[in-house]
Amino acid sequence: MRRSLVLAGAAVTVLGLLTGCSAGGDGADSGKTTLSVAALEGGYGRDMYTQVIQAYEAAHPDVDVQLQISKSIEDEITPNMKAGRYPDVVVLGQGRKAALTETLVKDKALEDLTPVLQANVPGESQTVSAKLIDGIVGNLNTNPYGDDKTYLMPMYYAPTGLVYNKGLFEEKGWEVPATWDEMWALGDKAKKDGIALFTYPTAGYLDSFFFALLADVGGEQFYNDVMTYKQGVWQTPQAKQVLDIATKLLSYAAPTTVGYANEQDFTKNQQSILDNKALFMPNGTWIVGEMADAPREDGFAWGLTPLPAAGEGGKRYITTSVESVWVPSAAKNKDAAKDFVAYLYSDAAAKTFAQSNAIQPIKGIVDSLSGENAEFYKVYEDPSVTALVGGFASTAPVPGVDIKATLFDTANSVISGDKTQDQWQSALNDASEKLRQAGS
């Protein structure tokens, strides 16, 4: 299930129609409350949702949950929302091209879910807050207005970094680079073997790359300054260093990257890692399930590494992708929606989600993981690596300004030669300044 990073493919048939938002949505005919749930179908699949809903309905016979799930869920629910018919619960993170979640955040159209944190998980004695790992709420991802109110509940979390084929590195006797100088040396060596150093599924996946790089280069304060649009932040030496590294890495990108970096062909870029045509790609744990049936080279084994350190012995950060569940403030059944959201953190629901590799930020759950998932989540055990959660602060909408697109999507133009690094930096400075003014 991705997310926060673009994963959309062709639209698929939905499991259920969005009901419960118009006439009869309160279940008047049956005496039941009809709860409409809309979810993005990504790398984790759809079966886990139907199983969790069946379990919830069994324990709540007075509730009828209607699920709508699609790889392009925004296209499915936006027309209804514009007509005033809102789902009660939405599982959809930030960072998607359609930016539906961000739009509702900017419009202040989400329900305050802080009470859910204090509520007991249905059927359990613990509160939701007590079950969540430290630091997963209270950041700009969950509390987008920088206050103590949580509007987006963290649904799944995953380490994101550079994925690679461990088998190839073992075969070649290569070490995973710990510094950028080592990365460039490896890129030159791999090029002689006809292997590109880098690719990405779509430019949107560069969020995990850039967020970690910003913190690697300038520390957490610099990262927060960028995320909150501090005046002149993109004119600093740290910002130039970030773009210097990014531009050089893009010069090592596989030649097919830009052509396949779209919602129809992105798996072809992902396939290049399995085919040993590229070494590294920004991605997260969901890649294992998403490419489970794809062909691969003999000896292939998934690996995940943080970015190389910005300096010798420097601190390294790993961007933690957090997918969200939220309730529109215009939802019809908000009390029932909050109870359902609380149930999503139950032991039973968490076990079902984990079987599809959708790992929730619940204390102790990592101990139950095995295989590639256990290997991926081990990255948090490295004392030199710090988890990084959050993203750009919300501001009032500014027409024509999308700083995520400016930061991430411009990579396509840099690779193609249509934009220079200086133009990239200037555009980021302009966008950041406009958002700073909108937020002040």
Side-chain angles (χ1 to χ4, degrees):
M1 168 97 165
R2 176 82 159 148
R3 73 132 239 156
S4 317
L5 303 178
V6 179
L7 233 214
V12 295
T13 305
V14 297
L15 287 181
L17 295 176
L18 195 74
T19 61
C21 299
S22 54
D26 57 1
D29 294 340
S30 63
K32 292 185 177 184
T33 296
T34 301
L35 191 72
S36 61
V37 176
L40 172 69
E41 180 191 0
Y44 303 138
R46 58 170 59 200
D47 290 346
M48 62 184 190
Y49 287 110
T50 59
Q51 293 173 36
V52 167
I53 286 170
Q54 287 169 1
Y56 182 80
E57 288 179 330
H60 300 78
D62 58 337
V63 179
D64 177 25
V65 181
Q66 295 292 316
L67 174 68
Q68 182 174 11
I69 183 167
S70 168
K71 291 185 177 180
S72 52
I73 193 64
E74 302 96 331
D75 296 340
E76 312 257 347
I77 65 176
T78 296
N80 282 326
M81 290 169 63
K82 288 181 177 178
R85 299 187 298 274
Y86 286 78
D88 296 306
V89 177
V90 182
V91 184
L92 180 68
Q94 301 188 60
R96 299 265 300 166
K97 189 172 184 178
L100 177 60
T101 303
E102 290 90 333
T103 298
L104 269 70
V105 168
K106 290 178 180 178
D107 292 345
K108 298 192 173 178
L110 299 182
E111 181 73 5
D112 179 8
L113 297 183
T114 311
V116 174
L117 292 169
Q118 276 70 58
N120 275 6
V121 176
E124 298 180 7
S125 58
Q126 278 189 301
T127 64
V128 173
S129 179
K131 296 191 73 172
L132 294 175
I133 62 174
D134 295 340
I136 201 66
V137 295
N139 50 69
L140 288 173
N141 192 73
T142 59
N143 298 33
Y145 308 115
D147 55 21
D148 59 359
K149 293 184 177 181
T150 297
Y151 291 84
L152 299 101
M153 290 290 291
M155 186 61 184
Y156 316 116
Y157 83 123
T160 66
L162 298 176
V163 298
Y164 66 100
N165 176 8
K166 290 199 298 183
L168 176 63
F169 276 68
E170 291 171 3
E171 175 191 329
K172 297 284 191 180
W174 293 340
E175 295 287 333
V176 175
T179 67
W180 285 106
D181 284 343
E182 291 176 4
M183 181 69 101
W184 311 139
L186 178 61
D188 294 338
K189 186 183 299 183
K191 187 175 182 180
K192 294 176 182 176
D193 288 348
I195 305 172
L197 179 65
F198 186 70
T199 190
Y200 49 77
T202 69
Y205 280 75
L206 290 171
D207 59 353
S208 62
F209 167 82
F210 270 112
F211 291 165
L213 184 58
L214 288 163
D216 285 352
V217 168
E220 290 174 45
Q221 185 58 58
F222 174 68
Y223 171 78
N224 288 329
D225 288 346
V226 173
M227 295 299 108
T228 54
Y229 320 112
K230 183 177 180 180
Q231 187 169 15
V233 68
W234 281 104
Q235 295 175 322
T236 60
Q238 295 97 320
K240 184 178 185 304
Q241 185 180 351
V242 165
L243 293 179
D244 283 346
I245 292 171
T247 301
K248 186 163 184 175
L249 182 61
L250 293 174
S251 73
Y252 284 92
T256 54
T257 296
V258 174
Y260 291 148
N262 58 68
E263 294 181 357
Q264 290 73 44
D265 300 317
F266 70 96
T267 56
K268 295 179 181 178
N269 281 335
Q270 294 181 168
Q271 184 65 43
S272 67
I273 300 294
L274 287 85
D275 292 340
N276 290 341
K277 293 180 180 176
L279 290 186
F280 293 107
M281 168 181 69
N283 221 301
T285 58
W286 55 87
I287 188 68
V288 176
E290 191 173 30
M291 302 299 287
D293 298 326
R296 61 204 64 205
E297 291 293 308
D298 292 341
F300 182 89
W302 287 109
L304 175 72
T305 180
L307 302 186
E312 194 73 40
K315 194 171 183 179
R316 301 163 80 183
Y317 291 84
I318 190 111
T319 304
T320 297
S321 171
V322 178
E323 300 187 44
S324 305
V325 57
W326 42 271
V327 175
S329 55
K332 187 171 185 178
N333 299 300
K334 288 189 280 192
D335 288 342
K338 292 174 184 177
D339 186 77
F340 179 77
V341 169
Y343 177 77
L344 296 177
Y345 298 93
S346 66
D347 290 346
K351 183 177 180 181
T352 299
F353 289 130
Q355 287 171 346
S356 293
N357 296 324
I359 309 304
Q360 292 176 282
I362 294 173
K363 292 173 182 173
I365 198 169
V366 172
D367 297 336
S368 66
L369 302 181
S370 59
E372 285 112 338
N373 259 339
E375 187 70 26
F376 280 7
Y377 281 84
K378 276 182 184 175
V379 71
Y380 292 121
E381 298 175 4
D382 185 336
S384 70
V385 176
T386 299
L388 191 67
V389 181
F392 285 103
S394 178
T395 70
V398 179
V401 175
D402 182 348
I403 196 161
K404 290 181 181 177
T406 304
L407 181 54
F408 311 142
D409 293 357
T410 303
N412 290 334
S413 300
V414 170
I415 292 176
S416 66
D418 294 331
K419 288 280 176 68
T420 66
Q421 181 180 327
D422 287 345
Q423 290 173 322
W424 196 2
Q425 186 169 3
S426 177
L428 284 164
N429 182 64
D430 290 345
S432 183
E433 177 60 18
K434 288 175 182 177
L435 291 170
R436 183 189 70 81
Q437 294 176 6
S440 60

